[in-house]
């Protein structure tokens, strides 16, 4: 298996195509990712010893804090993304070998769930996020593609954000307000008005700025302030190159090249049944030059319709910037 043999993840449409590329990716990363290879050998797993996708090992996400996770003959890369973090903690570092993979992933994923970005004005309320955040990188690119004057970053400029939203509402322009939870709550506390053409999309991230809320409590406050029926959500992380989206009620769906598995609480190598709560494992085939098989520190469950929910954080796991909200 060589790099050129890995097929285009963004062209996946069927379960068979997903499974085929998953096996190709596992074989490739087992061969070329030194950290993943060592982990597999430590638990006595190799391509010859497994025959089911759910038997593929998932790399603990904490290793992104201390190891250079790259799948290639050399360790060159286009970009480094770092996680936001609380004081005293180390960030996760994602060495992105080919930025075009990240762009292919988030552009195709956004269009899959929301249609072309050019149909929207996109306003980002992401204060305190550093320039090496993957979320900021994605937001910048989507904002640029809208070609709307009001699209842009507003940080803590609530007055300007309010005026832009009012102008866009009067135009009848479809709009997305993308923001971290604490910033959206601060904005909602200062301004209360009706939004008819705007989607509010939270990305999590209380970051210790406010009293912790459940996702349900957060959404109820935002719905009340902006007279909306529901709040959308984005679920992503520094260590991945793909996102899942929720159009309401905390039910997330993934693009065809990303899949969620739930592991049992008592046995991290066993898969839980549908509708059972456990640790979240993620296959992200866009992450082909890093590691596509990630064992996260989030708790959740997969529903019978394929959607999944985020329940919270695993006990004793470090609470990180984008996941500080108690769900």
């Amino acid at each position: 298996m060589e790099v050129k043999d890995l097929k285009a993840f963004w062209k996946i449409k069927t379960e068979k195509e997903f499974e085929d590329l998953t096996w190709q990716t596992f074989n490739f990363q087992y061969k070329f990712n030194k950290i993943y290879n060592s982990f597999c050998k430590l638990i006595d797993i190799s391509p010859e010893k497994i025959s089911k996708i759910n038997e593929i090992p998932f790399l603990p996400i904490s290793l992104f804090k201390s190891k250079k996770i790259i799948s290639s003959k050399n360790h060159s890369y286009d970009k480094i993304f770092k996680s936001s973090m609380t004081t005293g903690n180390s960030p996760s570092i994602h060495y992105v070998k080919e930025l075009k993979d990240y762009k292919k992933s988030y552009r195709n994923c956004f269009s899959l769930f929301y249609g072309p970005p050019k149909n929207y004005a996109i306003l980002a309320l992401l204060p305190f996020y550093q320039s090496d955040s993957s979320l900021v990188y994605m937001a910048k690119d989507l904002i640029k593609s809208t070609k709307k004057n009001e699209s842009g970053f507003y940080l803590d400029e609530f007055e300007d954000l309010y005026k832009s939203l009012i102008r866009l509402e009067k135009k009848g322009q479809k709009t997305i307000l993308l923001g971290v939870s604490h910033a959206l709550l601060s904005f909602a506390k200062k301004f209360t008005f009706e939004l008819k053409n705007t989607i509010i999309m939270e990305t999590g991230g209380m970051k210790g700025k406010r009293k912790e809320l459940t996702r349900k409590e957060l959404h109820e406050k935002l719905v009340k302030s902006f007279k909306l029926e529901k709040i959308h959500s984005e679920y992503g992380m520094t260590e991945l190159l793909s996102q899942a989206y929720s159009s309401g009620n905390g039910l997330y769906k993934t693009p065809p090249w990303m899949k969620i598995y739930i592991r049992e609480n008592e046995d991290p190598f066993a898969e839980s049944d549908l509708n059972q709560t456990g640790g979240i494992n993620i296959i992200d085939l866009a992450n082909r030059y890093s590691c596509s098989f990630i064992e996260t520190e989030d708790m959740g469950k997969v529903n019978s319709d394929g959607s999944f929910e985020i329940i919270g954080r695993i006990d004793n796991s470090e609470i990180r910037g984008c996941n500080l909200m108690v769900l």
Side-chain angles (χ1 to χ4, degrees):
M1 171 63 66
E2 299 291 338
V3 174
K4 60 183 176 60
D5 296 322
L6 287 178
K7 296 179 181 177
F9 63 85
W10 59 90
K11 294 183 179 180
I12 291 175
K13 296 189 183 301
T14 67
E15 185 68 22
K16 176 66 164 53
E17 291 173 338
F18 176 85
E19 291 182 1
D20 288 347
L21 188 53
T22 295
W23 283 117
Q24 290 178 27
T25 303
F26 171 58
N27 281 280
F28 171 75
Q29 293 181 350
Y30 183 86
K31 181 177 180 180
F32 290 112
N33 188 318
K34 293 181 180 179
I35 303 302
Y36 187 58
N37 180 275
S38 296
F39 174 71
C40 290
K41 289 180 177 177
L42 185 66
I43 58 176
D44 195 28
I45 293 292
S46 63
E48 304 81 35
K49 293 182 178 181
I50 58 176
S51 58
K52 299 177 182 178
I53 283 182
N54 60 5
E55 295 174 333
I56 293 175
F58 290 85
L59 188 73
I61 200 168
S62 59
L63 289 175
F64 280 82
K65 294 179 178 296
S66 58
K67 306 296 182 182
K68 193 172 184 179
I69 314 293
I70 293 184
S71 296
S72 68
K73 292 180 178 179
N74 61 65
H75 278 195
S76 63
Y77 53 87
D78 287 346
K79 179 76 173 176
I80 289 178
F81 288 130
K82 295 182 180 180
S83 65
S84 53
M85 59 182 179
T86 52
T87 303
N89 293 320
S90 300
S92 284
I93 299 177
H94 189 168
Y95 298 88
V96 181
K97 184 172 179 61
E98 296 194 3
L99 263 175
K100 64 182 181 181
D101 280 349
Y102 186 39
K103 292 177 181 178
K104 282 283 188 182
S105 181
Y106 68 68
R107 287 174 179 175
N108 281 278
C109 185
F110 183 92
S111 296
L112 178 67
F113 289 109
Y114 293 97
K118 66 180 181 180
N119 293 343
Y120 296 88
I122 298 178
L123 289 61
L125 191 56
L126 303 173
F128 312 115
Y129 270 68
Q130 67 273 32
S131 59
D132 49 10
S133 159
S134 57
L135 176 61
V136 168
Y137 187 93
M138 177 181 75
K140 281 182 179 179
D141 186 57
L142 294 177
I143 284 168
K144 184 178 179 181
S145 66
T146 69
K147 299 181 180 179
K148 304 287 193 304
N149 291 332
E150 290 87 356
S151 293
F153 286 85
Y154 284 80
L155 303 179
D156 56 354
E157 301 152 334
F158 292 162
E159 188 74 34
D160 291 341
L161 175 58
Y162 169 74
K163 291 178 181 177
S164 291
L165 285 172
I166 292 298
R167 284 197 301 271
L168 291 165
E169 285 287 329
K170 288 181 178 178
K171 293 179 184 178
Q173 170 63 54
K174 290 199 299 184
T175 300
I176 292 177
L177 172 57
L178 173 72
V180 290
S181 304
H182 71 86
L184 289 172
L185 283 171
S186 295
F187 180 60
K189 185 176 180 180
K190 188 169 184 179
F191 294 98
T192 298
F193 56 105
E194 185 176 10
L195 292 173
K196 294 182 178 181
N197 304 300
T198 300
I199 292 171
I200 290 186
M201 183 185 294
E202 56 90 4
T203 69
M206 295 300 291
K207 293 184 69 67
K209 300 293 180 180
R210 284 175 164 267
K211 176 184 175 182
E212 304 299 339
L213 299 174
T214 65
R215 173 163 275 120
K216 182 179 179 182
E217 290 171 334
L218 167 69
H219 287 200
E220 285 175 349
K221 287 179 178 292
L222 295 178
V223 162
K224 183 177 180 181
S225 291
F226 302 116
K227 299 177 176 59
L228 294 166
E229 291 185 5
K230 56 189 177 181
I231 303 298
H232 292 223
S233 304
E234 179 264 355
Y235 178 72
M237 56 189 70
T238 301
E239 300 85 355
L240 302 176
L241 290 185
S242 298
Q243 306 78 36
Y245 287 101
S246 166
S247 58
N249 302 316
L251 299 175
Y252 292 87
K253 293 188 176 181
T254 60
W257 57 89
M258 180 185 185
K259 194 165 185 177
I260 304 297
Y261 294 83
I262 304 299
R263 63 185 184 272
E264 291 185 2
N265 292 325
E266 302 301 324
D267 183 359
F269 299 107
E271 184 180 4
S272 284
D273 296 330
L274 288 175
N275 300 308
Q276 296 297 310
T277 299
I280 292 178
N281 290 342
I282 299 176
I283 294 180
D284 177 13
L285 296 180
N287 229 9
R288 53 188 177 175
Y289 299 124
S290 178
C291 184
S292 291
F293 311 98
I294 303 296
E295 177 189 290
T296 79
E297 294 169 348
D298 291 334
M299 295 285 287
K301 66 177 182 177
V302 173
N303 302 311
S304 56
D305 64 356
S307 66
F308 72 98
E309 301 174 48
I310 310 297
I311 307 300
R313 297 284 291 171
I314 295 175
D315 289 343
N316 299 320
S317 68
E318 178 191 327
I319 296 178
R320 301 181 305 162
C322 289
N323 292 294
L324 262 177
M325 188 167 58
V326 179
L327 299 164

